[in-house]
Amino acid sequence: MYHVCFKNLSSIIFPYSENNVDPEQHHHVPQQQSQTDWLSVGPQHPELGAAGTPSPEASAHHFCHYTPKCARSTPSRYGEEGWHEGTSKATIRAENEVEAHREANNYKFGFRKWKGNVTERPIEDRSEVIKDFGNIVYVCLFGWWISLIYFLICPVMFLTIFGAPYGKLCFKMALYFIWPFGKSLEKAGDCVVKRSIVRPPKFEVIPEERDTEDNKDPDRDRDKDSAPLLVSSPIPVEITVPEPPARKTSNHWCHISTYVWLLLGYPVLAVVHSLACVLSWLLVFTIPVFKMNARTMTIVLLMAPEDVQIHKLEKTLGCETRVILCCYQAFNVYYYKYTVQGINIFALNLLPLVVITLIIGYTDREHNYFSAETKFATAIASIIPLSYYIGMGIASISAQSNFAVGAVVNATFGSITEMTFYITALLQGHRAATKCYEEIVKAALTGTLLGCILFIPGICMIIGGIKHREQRFNSRSAGVSSALLFISIGGVFAPTLFSKIFGNLVPLVYTISVLLPTAYLIGLIFTLKTHSHIYDIHISDGQDGHAHVHWSRWRALAVLIVATVLMACCADISTENIEPILTHSSISQYFIGVTVLAMVPELPEIVNGIQFALQNNISLSLEVGSCIAVQVCMIQIPLLILFNAFYDVGFVLVFSDIHLWASIFSVILVNYIFMDGKCDYFQGTALVVVYLILLALYFFAPSPRSC
C-alpha cells in the first residue's frame, strides 16, 4: 500500500480540498480481486450516509482513515498561526507506487488532472439491478438469430451423415445461445468427482481474462451476488450427472466429420459470431456478449463435439471440470469504464474514425465522394480519441517519472492538441491571405477559456451536487486559483485595452509573452523544487508495491508522438475543409470558434472532471478547468506569439470586445461562486446558464469583418 502524504497550503495554486471524500474508500472487494485505489481526503461528509462495513480480510488493507486539519496549537517552524488555518494534511492510498504518483500529480500546479488508472486492475461484475432486463435485451438483439442459425445448420450436418456429431452440437448450442444464463459450457474428460455438496446461494467464479476496468462504482458491492461474466480456468462447479467414466484424449482432427464441419458449418457460424462480436463491442454495455461469442468461435466450435457439455449450475455432485463459458448476465452498465491495455473502450472504438478521416481527407481532395463538411466533421470528431491518447500518455509518463520530467511533459504535450489546430489554422489563413482564420483562432482561445471557467466547473457541480447534495472545498485555496486565473486573463487581454488607448502594442505583447511563462515557471519551481516536501511520498513496509503498468515510459512516449502527428494531420484536414462552413453558413463564425473548435478537444478533460465530482472530489473537478485555462493563458498564447515572431502569419494579440468582456465577466463570476468554499447543483446551474447566455450572444453576433 502506498501512502502519498502532503499538506495543503493556502498559497498553493492548485489546492487540495479538505472535505472531499472518495466513496471508493468504503468499497468491499472480494478476496479474489486485487486492491483498488483509495483516496483519503478529509473528514466524511455527513450527508453521504452510513457506509458498509468491509470484511475482516478487506479492512486490513482498504479502510481509510482521515487526517484532520492541523490544530492551531501544533508547533510549526514557520511560527504563524494563520499558516495552520490554511494547512491540512491528507493521505492518498493507492495500490502501488505508480498510482500513488498519478494521484499526487493531480494536486500539483501545471499537471493536467487524470482520473483513469495507468496500471492494471481486475474487472468485476456490478450492475445486478439491471441483470434480468439486460438478459431479455440480449435475447431480442442477439439470442434469437444466433440460435436460429444453429437450428438451420443442424439438419444440414445430419444430412451429410459424417457430420451428425456436429449436428448434435449445433442443436445443443442453439438451446444454449437462446438463454445462456446460469449454464456452464464445459470440456468433458477432466472431471474429478468429489463428495456430494450443495452450492451456496452466492457462487463466484474467477475469469481467466483480466481486462481492466477503471474506477469501479462501489454502490452495490455489498449486495453483489453475481459472478464475473466468462470463465476459462478450472473451477469447482456442480453438475447434474453421475460419476463420469474416464475419457480418452480426443483425436477429432483425424475424422472426416471434422473436415465436413470445417467446410459446411464452421465458416457460416464464424461469420455469425464475428458479426455478433462487432455489434456487441460497439454497443459497449454488451461486452459480455462479445466475450461469449469470441470464445465460442475460437475455442468451442473447434473442439471435438463429444467434448462439449452444457449443464445448469444446480446442487448435486461436485467435481472440478474445465469451464469454457459461464455467463450470468449480458448487460453491464459499468462497461463504459472498460479498458483494453489501459485504453478506454470509447477511445478504442473511435480510433477507426481517425483512419477514415485520413483516407477521405487526403485521397479525395476534389470532394468527388465526400463533401467538405463531412471531412470537417470527421476530422473534428477524430480529435476526441487522439486527445484521450495524449492525456493517457502524459499521465503514464508523469506517474513513472520524477516531478521535473512530469512537469516538462505536461507543459509541452499538455497543450499540443490545441496548438496543432491553432498553428495549422494560422498557416491556412496565411496561405489564403485572409484574417478570418486568425479570428477563428482567437474565438477558439476565448471559447476554451469560457468553457473551462464556466461550463466545466458548472457541469461538475450539477452532476456532483445531484449525487452528494452539497460538496465542499478549500475556499482560500480556490481563491488563490481564481486570483491567478484573473491575473492570467488580465495579462492576455491587456494588449487589447492598451491598443484602444495608445495604439502601438508590439512592445507590450512581447513583454507579456515573457511574463506569463515566467509566472508559470515560478509555479513549477514552487511545487517541484522549493516546496516539494509537501508532496512527500511514504511507502509502508511489508506491502508488495509492484505494479504492471499499461504503458511503459517509452511506449507512452511513442503513443504521444504518434498521436501528435495524427492530431496535426486531422487539424490540417479540418482547417482545409472549414472554409465552406465559414463562407456559406448562416451561423456566426464566432459561435463556431467558441463551441466546436474550442470544446471538442477538451471532452476527455470534461469526463475526468465529472468523474472526480461523482466521487465527491469537487476540488479536482474545479481544478480541471482552471489548469486548462491557465495553460491557455500562460503557455499557448505566448507560444503563438513566439511562432508569429519566427514565422509571420499575421497573428496580433488584440481580441474583439465581445471576447474581452465575456472573459472578464466569467472570471469575476467564478471568483464570487468560489468564495464560500461549498457548492451545489444550483450554483453549477448558474454557471452553465451564464455560459449558455454567452453562447447565445455569440450565436446572434455578426461574423468578424475579416470573414
Side-chain angles (χ1 to χ4, degrees):
M1 185 74 68
Y2 289 81
H3 303 257
V4 184
C5 301
F6 57 90
K7 291 186 177 180
N8 175 29
L9 312 178
S10 60
S11 57
I12 294 179
I13 295 173
F14 291 107
Y16 160 72
S17 174
E18 58 183 330
N19 293 313
N20 293 331
V21 178
D22 186 349
E24 288 189 3
Q25 62 197 346
H26 304 300
H27 190 158
H28 172 77
V29 182
Q31 279 185 320
Q32 296 90 338
Q33 309 293 343
S34 64
Q35 292 179 226
T36 52
D37 294 353
W38 303 106
L39 175 59
S40 172
V41 280
Q44 180 182 3
H45 198 281
E47 293 167 354
L48 289 178
T53 303
S55 65
E57 295 84 2
S59 61
H61 301 287
H62 300 289
F63 182 73
C64 294
H65 68 278
Y66 304 102
T67 305
K69 192 173 182 179
C70 298
R72 294 189 179 185
S73 59
T74 304
S76 173
R77 60 190 179 95
Y78 298 96
E80 295 182 57
E81 182 177 348
W83 174 271
H84 302 285
E85 294 179 356
T87 306
S88 61
K89 185 178 180 181
T91 300
I92 293 178
R93 290 188 176 185
E95 60 188 15
N96 54 67
E97 186 178 7
V98 177
E99 293 297 341
H101 277 288
R102 180 188 61 80
E103 291 283 359
N105 289 341
N106 284 337
Y107 293 91
K108 294 180 177 59
F109 169 73
F111 285 68
R112 286 207 170 187
K113 320 308 172 190
W114 190 257
K115 184 64 180 71
N117 289 77
V118 296
T119 58
E120 289 186 357
R121 299 182 64 193
I123 185 171
E124 297 174 43
D125 184 30
R126 286 267 166 80
S127 54
E128 181 169 352
V129 172
I130 59 172
K131 181 169 96 172
D132 295 335
F133 172 76
N135 293 347
I136 296 175
V137 171
Y138 160 81
V139 175
C140 297
L141 294 181
F142 300 98
W144 70 270
W145 58 272
I146 296 177
S147 180
L148 177 62
I149 299 298
Y150 273 103
F151 274 123
L152 294 177
I153 295 179
C154 177
V156 174
M157 299 308 299
F158 276 110
L159 290 176
T160 63
I161 307 300
F162 293 104
Y166 286 96
K168 296 178 181 178
L169 173 64
C170 289
F171 183 78
K172 290 192 295 184
M173 297 299 291
L175 297 179
Y176 176 80
F177 272 98
I178 193 66
W179 188 265
F181 313 108
K183 303 175 184 177
S184 65
L185 195 154
E186 307 153 7
K187 181 179 180 180
D190 298 327
C191 188
V192 179
V193 178
K194 297 180 179 179
R195 62 182 179 84
S196 178
I197 59 173
V198 178
R199 183 173 67 89
K202 295 187 177 181
F203 180 66
E204 295 186 353
V205 292
I206 303 302
E208 181 182 52
E209 294 183 359
R210 302 188 67 82
D211 290 322
T212 59
E213 177 182 351
D214 288 341
N215 308 309
K216 313 292 182 183
D217 187 286
D219 295 337
R220 296 184 175 89
D221 278 350
R222 289 174 295 166
D223 301 324
K224 184 165 87 71
D225 61 359
S226 61
L229 306 166
L230 296 171
V231 297
S232 63
S233 57
I235 60 167
V237 295
E238 283 67 31
I239 59 175
T240 58
V241 294
E243 180 177 351
R247 300 184 62 91
K248 298 181 180 180
T249 304
S250 175
N251 197 18
H252 70 289
W253 291 105
C254 298
H255 298 165
I256 298 178
S257 61
T258 302
Y259 296 96
V260 173
W261 166 252
L262 294 177
L263 182 63
L264 299 179
Y266 182 79
V268 177
L269 292 173
V271 173
V272 170
H273 286 296
S274 297
L275 178 60
C277 286
V278 172
L279 295 177
S280 57
W281 181 270
L282 293 178
L283 291 175
V284 176
F285 303 111
T286 55
I287 285 182
V289 180
F290 162 82
K291 290 187 174 185
M292 181 170 61
N293 281 272
R295 186 160 296 172
T296 299
M297 180 175 58
T298 58
I299 298 178
V300 177
L301 297 184
L302 297 178
M303 294 169 52
E306 61 272 12
D307 286 346
V308 179
Q309 295 184 356
I310 300 175
H311 301 288
K312 290 185 178 180
L313 298 176
E314 297 176 347
K315 64 178 182 178
T316 182
L317 291 177
C319 72
E320 289 209 359
T321 184
R322 178 171 177 79
V323 176
I324 306 300
L325 288 179
C326 182
C327 185
Y328 284 89
Q329 64 184 88
F331 189 93
N332 193 323
V333 69
Y334 293 109
Y335 266 97
Y336 74 91
K337 302 177 181 179
Y338 186 81
T339 63
V340 177
Q341 292 296 313
I343 305 173
N344 184 269
I345 183 172
F346 287 105
L348 195 62
N349 286 348
L350 288 175
L351 192 58
L353 184 62
V354 179
V355 179
I356 295 174
T357 298
L358 298 179
I359 294 175
I360 67 176
Y362 288 115
T363 60
D364 185 30
R365 292 183 178 274
E366 301 300 326
H367 311 302
N368 295 325
Y369 303 100
F370 300 93
S371 64
E373 291 81 1
T374 301
K375 296 178 183 178
F376 174 77
T378 57
I380 289 296
S382 298
I383 293 178
I384 299 175
L386 293 177
S387 299
Y388 174 88
Y389 289 117
I390 291 175
M392 181 69 178
I394 293 173
S396 297
I397 294 178
S398 301
Q400 301 174 66
S401 307
N402 57 46
F403 296 152
V405 174
V408 173
V409 172
N410 276 269
T412 53
F413 288 98
S415 300
I416 201 70
T417 301
E418 297 85 354
M419 291 301 300
T420 52
F421 175 79
Y422 298 153
I423 292 178
T424 53
L426 292 175
L427 291 174
Q428 182 69 19
H430 180 67
R431 289 192 295 264
T434 176
K435 301 286 289 184
C436 184
Y437 288 87
E438 180 187 353
E439 292 299 328
I440 292 297
V441 169
K442 293 177 182 177
L445 287 168
T446 306
T448 303
L449 291 176
L450 296 179
C452 294
I453 295 172
L454 296 176
F455 180 74
I456 294 180
I459 197 67
C460 291
M461 288 181 183
I462 292 175
I463 297 177
I466 291 175
K467 181 176 181 180
H468 301 289
R469 188 174 179 181
E470 184 178 84
Q471 297 177 292
R472 297 178 178 271
F473 55 90
N474 192 312
S475 60
R476 295 182 61 187
S477 299
V480 172
S481 299
S482 301
L484 178 65
L485 189 59
F486 197 100
I487 294 172
S488 302
I489 291 185
V492 168
F493 288 98
T496 303
L497 297 173
F498 188 86
S499 65
K500 294 180 179 298
I501 301 174
F502 302 105
N504 185 17
L505 52 83
V506 174
L508 178 62
V509 169
Y510 288 111
T511 301
I512 289 176
S513 65
V514 172
L515 291 177
L516 290 179
T518 301
Y520 187 87
L521 181 61
I522 292 174
L524 292 178
I525 294 175
F526 176 83
T527 57
L528 305 180
K529 188 66 176 177
T530 62
H531 290 69
S532 60
H533 60 276
I534 62 179
Y535 301 110
D536 194 15
I537 298 178
H538 301 282
I539 302 176
S540 60
D541 296 331
Q543 296 291 340
D544 182 12
H546 177 72
H548 185 273
V549 295
H550 293 300
W551 298 355
S552 65
R553 279 176 288 191
W554 288 109
R555 181 181 179 184
L557 181 60
V559 171
L560 279 177
I561 295 174
V562 173
T564 301
V565 173
L566 295 177
M567 180 73 71
C569 295
C570 292
D572 180 61
I573 294 174
S574 64
T575 54
E576 282 184 358
N577 295 277
I578 197 177
E579 183 178 359
I581 299 176
L582 298 178
T583 55
H584 300 99
S585 176
S586 59
I587 303 176
S588 172
Q589 281 77 7
Y590 283 136
F591 182 79
I592 297 175
V594 299
T595 54
V596 178
L597 304 182
M599 296 308 295
V600 168
E602 309 302 338
L603 284 179
E605 303 291 343
I606 296 175
V607 173
N608 282 333
I610 292 175
Q611 289 180 335
F612 285 129
L614 288 174
Q615 292 190 345
N616 205 19
N617 198 346
I618 193 63
S619 178
L620 283 183
S621 297
L622 303 180
E623 296 300 340
V624 166
S626 298
C627 179
I628 300 174
V630 169
Q631 283 196 341
V632 168
C633 296
M634 293 188 169
I635 295 180
Q636 296 177 19
I637 291 179
L639 284 178
L640 291 176
I641 297 173
L642 181 64
F643 175 78
N644 186 79
F646 285 95
Y647 188 87
D648 190 5
V649 292
F651 180 75
V652 181
L653 196 62
V654 176
F655 292 83
S656 62
D657 291 346
I658 187 174
H659 297 327
L660 171 65
W661 301 117
S663 300
I664 294 178
F665 173 74
S666 300
V667 175
I668 294 175
L669 176 63
V670 167
N671 193 52
Y672 174 77
I673 293 291
F674 288 173
M675 287 177 60
D676 58 353
K678 56 184 178 181
C679 62
D680 47 44
Y681 72 89
F682 177 76
Q683 292 177 323
T685 303
L687 293 178
V688 173
V689 168
V690 171
Y691 177 73
L692 295 178
I693 291 174
L694 293 177
L695 290 188
L697 187 151
Y698 279 106
F699 182 84
F700 294 107
S703 298
R705 297 177 183 176
S706 56
C707 296

